[in-house]
Amino acid sequence: MTTPPRRSDRSGPRTASVMTDMPFKPQLVKAVFRDVTSLHVSRPAAWTAASVTRTVLTEIIDGARGAAAEETRTRLIPRDLISAIDRNVEVEVGSAWYLHSPTFHGLMGEMRDADGALVSLRERRGARTPSGVAGAHRFEAGVRRLLAGRGVRAVPAMVRDLDGIASVFLTALARDAAKVVREGGVKRFGTVSPVAPGEPAPAPLLKDPLVALSTRRGDRRTVAGDDVLAAVTMQLFGDLRQRAITEAAETTRHTSAD
């Protein structure tokens, strides 16, 4: 009788669980990266970007679910999405989608040119549809899996908005990760710390993992997992940023044994 290969033993049930629970597959992530850069995308980078997108969408869905629960509903509607964003500024991502969604038209406010003339929505959108908006349909299956995993359903308009937000967020993440590779790290212009009059300034946080991501190591042809994490520091902030980084590290740790 042939002994089973140890490779599957190393993967373990936790790795399989991570791969099964990930609604946005690495193949989809790499397709988004191909839309914005010719750089090679490593497997850890794809898993990291997939995990971060899941974290962001989960936070949005949970906020919308809370708004729906207040009206004793389990089916999400676009109004719940607006409530989720109003209550938590950290989830206000995917802004390129807002100009293309009827849900947000009334919230964008007026925009006028230098002469004071009102700029139409068509002009604000621009002549070219952003790749994240054009490719939003690719995220529907993952969004529906994520909704089911959170125990809610959503009307088609809400699914469309979640598709769009996921797509434009991941597209922006891919662009920033590619920029990190090209520029050799995150270009920072200093930090601001509140200091009371007469008190010494605090020492720099040399062990801060976000600071560690500011300097890149590696070749200039491949997007690595740390490049995506550096892009996360440019796209997100607050508790959501920290949670996205932590969950991405957990995901890549479990999948690296496969």
Side-chain angles (χ1 to χ4, degrees):
M1 182 176 179
T2 305
T3 303
R6 295 185 60 83
R7 179 189 177 104
S8 60
D9 294 337
R10 289 203 313 269
S11 299
R14 296 186 69 185
T15 301
S17 175
V18 170
M19 297 174 69
T20 302
D21 294 343
M22 190 67 68
F24 308 113
K25 301 302 182 184
Q27 295 86 342
L28 173 59
V29 172
K30 289 187 176 184
V32 174
F33 270 80
R34 283 195 296 269
D35 288 342
V36 299
T37 180
S38 59
L39 295 171
H40 174 69
V41 181
S42 69
R43 184 174 182 179
W47 278 112
T48 298
S51 175
V52 170
T53 306
R54 177 187 60 183
T55 300
V56 170
L57 264 290
T58 298
E59 186 74 7
I60 294 174
I61 290 171
D62 285 349
R65 183 176 61 175
E70 293 176 1
E71 301 179 10
T72 64
R73 286 184 288 103
T74 59
R75 195 174 192 188
L76 306 184
I77 59 177
R79 185 170 72 243
D80 301 324
L81 177 58
I82 298 297
S83 295
I85 293 175
D86 284 346
R87 297 176 183 185
N88 184 0
V89 69
E90 292 180 12
V91 301
E92 191 174 342
V93 298
S95 56
W97 174 253
Y98 301 160
L99 290 173
H100 293 263
S101 168
T103 300
F104 296 93
H105 286 179
L107 302 176
M108 298 302 293
E110 292 183 350
M111 180 180 290
R112 297 183 179 273
D113 60 20
D115 298 323
L118 190 65
V119 178
S120 69
L121 183 61
R122 182 180 296 274
E123 292 174 310
R124 292 167 66 180
R125 287 177 174 173
R128 181 177 176 274
T129 300
S131 59
V133 173
H137 63 279
R138 295 180 292 191
F139 289 77
E140 181 175 350
V143 166
R144 291 190 181 280
R145 287 184 59 194
L146 202 50
L147 286 166
R150 309 308 291 178
V152 292
R153 296 177 301 154
V155 299
M158 178 69 168
V159 174
R160 179 202 61 213
D161 280 331
L162 292 172
D163 287 352
I165 290 173
S167 183
V168 298
F169 169 75
L170 183 51
T171 299
L173 194 67
R175 287 197 181 104
D176 281 348
K179 183 178 180 181
V180 169
V181 175
R182 291 194 305 269
E183 297 184 354
V186 178
K187 302 305 179 184
R188 296 178 180 272
F189 300 93
T191 58
V192 177
S193 300
V195 179
E199 293 185 0
L205 301 176
L206 298 179
K207 294 183 179 180
D208 186 346
L210 301 185
V211 175
L213 291 171
S214 64
T215 303
R216 182 180 187 275
R217 297 178 178 85
D219 65 64
R220 297 294 181 89
R221 300 181 301 275
T222 302
V223 179
D226 281 350
D227 299 323
V228 177
L229 291 180
V232 171
T233 70
M234 301 160 69
Q235 287 289 324
L236 302 176
F237 65 96
D239 292 340
L240 179 59
R241 177 172 69 181
Q242 188 56 55
R243 186 161 60 256
I245 290 173
T246 300
E247 292 181 2
E250 186 78 2
T251 296
T252 54
R253 182 162 58 249
H254 289 162
T255 57
S256 62
D258 183 37

